[in-house]
Amino acid sequence: MAEVLVVVDASGGTVRKVTLEMLTMARALGEPSAVVLGAPGTAAPLTAALGEYGAAKVYVAEHDDLDGFLVAPKAEVLAALVAEKSPAAVLLSSGQEGKEIAGRLAVKLGNGLLTDVSALDADGTATQSVFAGSWVVKSKVTTGVPLVTVRPNSLTPEAAPAAAEQVGVEVAVSDKAKKVAVVERVTAQKSARPELTEASVVVSGGRGVGSAENFALVEELADLLGGAVGASRAATDGGFYPHKYQVGQTGSTVSPQLYIALGISGAIQHRAGMQTAKRIVAVNKDDEAPIFDLADFGVVGDLFKVVPQAVEGIKNRR
Amino acid sequence: MNIVVLVKQVPDSGAERSLAGDGWSVDRSGGTNVINEMDEYAIEEALRLKDETGAQVTLLTVGPDHAVDSIRKALSMGPDAAVHVSDEAVAGSDALGTAKVIAAALGTLEYDLILSGAESTDGGVQVLPHLLAELLDIAALTGARKVTVEDGGLLVERQTEDGYEVLRASGKAIVSVWDTINTPRYPSLKGIMAAKRKPVTTLTLADLGVDAATVGRSGAATTVLSAEPRPARGAGVKVADNGDGGDQLVAYLTAEKFV
């Protein structure tokens, strides 16, 4: 069976959910093999999860240069591996780094690249969302090994235990790939909440939340539902919540099972980041707010009355 | 120092956007084309460095003839000149094709630093800086929230999914910036008047020595099979809060098995 390379996206010794989605998606095309690129010791804590979700092999490329310089060394090592294995496709996550590696690979190998893919058929047809999810495009790579970046939350990962046989990959990074050195890496305090782009539930607050203190209400509902907290641009620009949690055109694009918009009017800027969510719930006091055009369930009312009542209701059901 | 800022004219993301009938390309025929919002932050960053170091700032854009309107608007912020690559054969290019054209155009310019927005509101592929870095053999530093020019090099703070990184590069580089980096200035009346007289050089693929067959739709390594607007979401339920809005919300979440 043809081999499909899945480039592992991990953070802090844990495989990101999108990696498990890619391993699941890859099975439509062939037998998935995971590729771990990083500093020595990166692969060990990831292997069990990779095997559980179907990685027959785990290619381990570990070297300090892969971590000490930005992206280019990873692309170089991966390009050599792709040339050697001629896989049916290469899957990467649609995060910043995944796209960057994929772009470099496309130049090095002259291969077609499809980004932000949400589904992949056995014949290689990829489904992409463009214009922030308002159009659905089906495309195919016509030249070389297809390079595909996969949008998080595209499917539900399914376990399919496989051997996860570790295969060492020799790493020799050229000077050409060492142009950008990573001087310092500062990891923000990890919140106990799931990551915004991976969460199956996202609860976001907007201008209507009114202040940073009031975001505690948004957080409380998010925590009850096991979700991530997001914010509209009005809320981040207003200093209610940190910029990195912004959902929208100029922030993250999320595609959760459930998206709850609190005090968000639903300007195109915001809708662009959330309209592919499976279910959308909105609470807004303005009956005319455009967010209600998207909402599967909307409550016209004061969020400071509606949300506390909902919070109590959820607690009482447990 | 010579700085080139990559700018792109895009359909206004505040308006309805559409793909052209063939499904291959963005419908740019409508009247609501603007400079890609994120590119304004790149222009501002270039102007900040110009104010600091006396750099020469040139805008570079690839797009149809009417992109010149957006170029004039961008020039009114303060850049010195612009280069506009306009050729029908570019239409339908994929990311790699576009990068090849931009790389060829950069080959005709003197530059030490290239700035771009971290994302475009229409294509949104984010990969362009790294494509250019591979093609031109220069450094790429993406997602910058702070740029410092040092002796013979650059120091960049890059926003990441986990926090931030401090990056250092020497030699020629392309840097893409986020909207957290600065606040773009508004053009002054003087700037608007001056923009009318600033040089805008128009180049074709032939001028750049780019074979038209290697870009555009014919040169693309991907093909579009179909393109359709996403079906509208079915009308949902909307209730007014008469004291039990929260309870109704919980009932909905329970029915949908989220609670």
Side-chain angles (χ1 to χ4, degrees):
Chain A
M1 194 158 43
E3 189 173 24
V4 180
L5 297 184
V6 171
V7 180
V8 174
D9 186 357
S11 170
T14 312
V15 171
R16 282 203 166 101
K17 196 171 94 190
V18 65
T19 303
L20 308 180
E21 293 179 41
M22 290 192 288
L23 287 169
T24 306
M25 199 182 265
R27 285 178 231 145
L29 298 176
E31 187 175 65
S33 290
V35 183
V36 176
L37 303 159
T42 306
L46 309 176
T47 309
L50 298 173
E52 193 188 334
Y53 283 85
K57 287 182 190 152
V58 178
Y59 293 106
V60 179
E62 293 182 334
H63 194 285
D64 283 328
D65 285 348
L66 295 176
D67 204 37
F69 298 91
L70 193 64
V71 184
K74 290 185 178 174
E76 207 173 78
V77 172
L78 189 59
L81 188 65
V82 172
E84 188 193 324
K85 302 293 174 193
S86 301
V90 182
L91 271 52
L92 303 100
S93 93
S94 256
Q96 190 176 30
E97 186 178 87
K99 279 187 183 171
E100 292 178 355
I101 296 174
R104 286 186 174 262
L105 219 51
V107 176
K108 284 179 192 292
L109 304 171
N111 290 355
L113 163 66
L114 296 170
T115 53
D116 290 323
V117 168
S118 58
L120 208 50
D121 296 346
D123 70 348
T125 301
T127 306
Q128 296 167 286
S129 290
V130 304
F131 289 150
S134 56
W135 281 67
V136 178
V137 175
K138 289 193 187 260
S139 317
K140 218 170 168 171
V141 166
T142 50
T143 307
V145 176
L147 307 175
V148 175
T149 76
V150 175
R151 206 182 57 180
N153 267 332
S154 290
L155 52 83
T156 307
E158 284 163 28
E165 178 203 343
Q166 294 216 19
V167 182
V169 175
E170 202 179 322
V171 178
V173 177
S174 72
D175 287 343
K176 210 171 116 84
K178 296 185 192 172
K179 286 188 167 53
V180 182
V182 179
V183 183
E184 197 186 352
R185 196 167 269 141
V186 181
T187 309
Q189 188 126 36
K190 263 220 143 136
S191 97
R193 297 190 184 103
E195 282 187 47
L196 191 51
T197 52
E198 297 217 323
S200 32
V201 176
V202 175
V203 183
S204 288
R207 193 191 306 273
V209 175
S211 72
E213 296 74 49
N214 290 347
F215 250 80
L217 190 59
V218 181
E219 290 178 331
E220 190 180 8
L221 183 58
D223 290 344
L224 270 177
L225 298 169
V229 175
S232 72
R233 189 174 188 176
T236 59
D237 283 358
F240 302 170
Y241 219 65
H243 182 273
K244 63 179 267 206
Y245 296 102
Q246 190 188 112
V247 172
Q249 190 92 65
T250 52
S252 297
T253 301
V254 300
S255 202
Q257 297 293 313
L258 172 65
Y259 188 88
I260 302 185
L262 303 175
I264 294 175
S265 66
I268 285 184
Q269 142 72 27
H270 187 72
R271 277 151 53 191
M274 47 64 78
Q275 64 189 358
T276 56
K278 194 129 187 273
R279 288 277 177 266
I280 296 173
V281 168
V283 180
N284 201 299
K285 61 183 177 198
D286 176 10
D287 180 42
E288 303 282 305
I291 192 78
F292 288 124
D293 298 341
L294 290 183
D296 298 289
F297 189 82
V299 181
V300 182
D302 180 355
L303 74 93
F304 298 105
K305 293 197 177 114
V306 175
V307 177
Q309 188 179 64
V311 163
E312 279 314 304
I314 294 168
K315 283 181 182 164
N316 289 339
R317 282 181 179 268
R318 299 203 166 158
Chain B
M1 186 162 68
N2 289 299
I3 304 174
V4 175
V5 186
L6 306 181
V7 293
K8 185 174 182 185
Q9 181 182 257
V10 296
D12 188 348
S13 62
E16 280 301 313
R17 292 172 292 171
S18 172
L19 290 174
D22 61 359
W24 277 80
S25 44
V26 177
D27 184 353
R28 297 173 203 270
S29 60
T32 49
N33 288 302
V34 296
I35 303 166
N36 176 41
E37 187 190 338
M38 207 71 93
D39 297 349
E40 292 181 18
Y41 297 85
I43 296 171
E44 177 60 35
E45 199 56 19
L47 295 174
R48 190 183 67 77
L49 293 169
K50 177 183 165 82
D51 293 344
E52 254 176 41
T53 66
Q56 185 80 12
V57 178
T58 306
L59 304 177
L60 170 59
T61 195
V62 178
D65 288 347
H66 59 77
V68 80
D69 302 337
S70 299
I71 294 171
R72 291 285 173 202
K73 269 183 207 152
L75 282 172
S76 67
M77 286 174 73
D80 300 289
V83 173
H84 177 197
V85 180
S86 181
D87 198 311
E88 281 178 14
V90 179
S93 292
D94 60 2
L96 188 49
T98 308
K100 282 182 197 162
V101 174
I102 294 175
L106 285 165
T108 69
L109 297 168
E110 293 275 329
Y111 66 89
D112 305 290
L113 174 64
I114 305 164
L115 288 167
S116 76
E119 199 168 11
S120 74
T121 55
D122 65 341
V125 286
Q126 291 172 331
V127 295
L128 185 66
H130 284 275
L131 296 176
L132 289 174
E134 282 285 331
L135 291 168
L136 299 167
D137 194 15
I138 60 173
L141 304 92
T142 39
R145 62 176 198 185
K146 190 178 175 193
V147 178
T148 314
V149 177
E150 300 183 316
D151 272 346
L154 280 174
L155 209 56
V156 161
E157 265 184 40
R158 156 182 159 108
Q159 215 162 287
T160 65
E161 281 144 11
D162 296 330
Y164 74 93
E165 293 167 346
V166 182
L167 308 172
R168 177 177 282 132
S170 53
K172 294 184 177 188
I174 177 161
V175 176
S176 72
V177 306
W178 274 114
D179 60 351
T180 43
I181 197 164
N182 56 40
T183 308
R185 65 193 66 185
Y186 285 105
S188 64
L189 186 59
K190 199 175 143 205
I192 293 167
M193 298 308 288
K196 291 178 182 159
R197 295 185 306 273
K198 286 179 178 168
V200 177
T201 311
T202 305
L203 298 171
T204 62
L205 290 184
D207 295 331
L208 297 175
V210 173
D211 178 358
T214 63
V215 300
R217 195 181 305 181
S218 54
T222 55
T223 188
V224 176
L225 305 172
S226 68
E228 285 164 17
R230 179 179 294 275
R233 296 186 82 97
V237 176
K238 187 161 78 169
V239 300
D241 177 29
N242 293 316
D244 64 346
D247 294 334
Q248 292 202 47
L249 178 53
V250 175
Y252 173 79
L253 294 178
T254 308
E256 292 286 329
K257 299 191 170 54
F258 290 113
V259 174

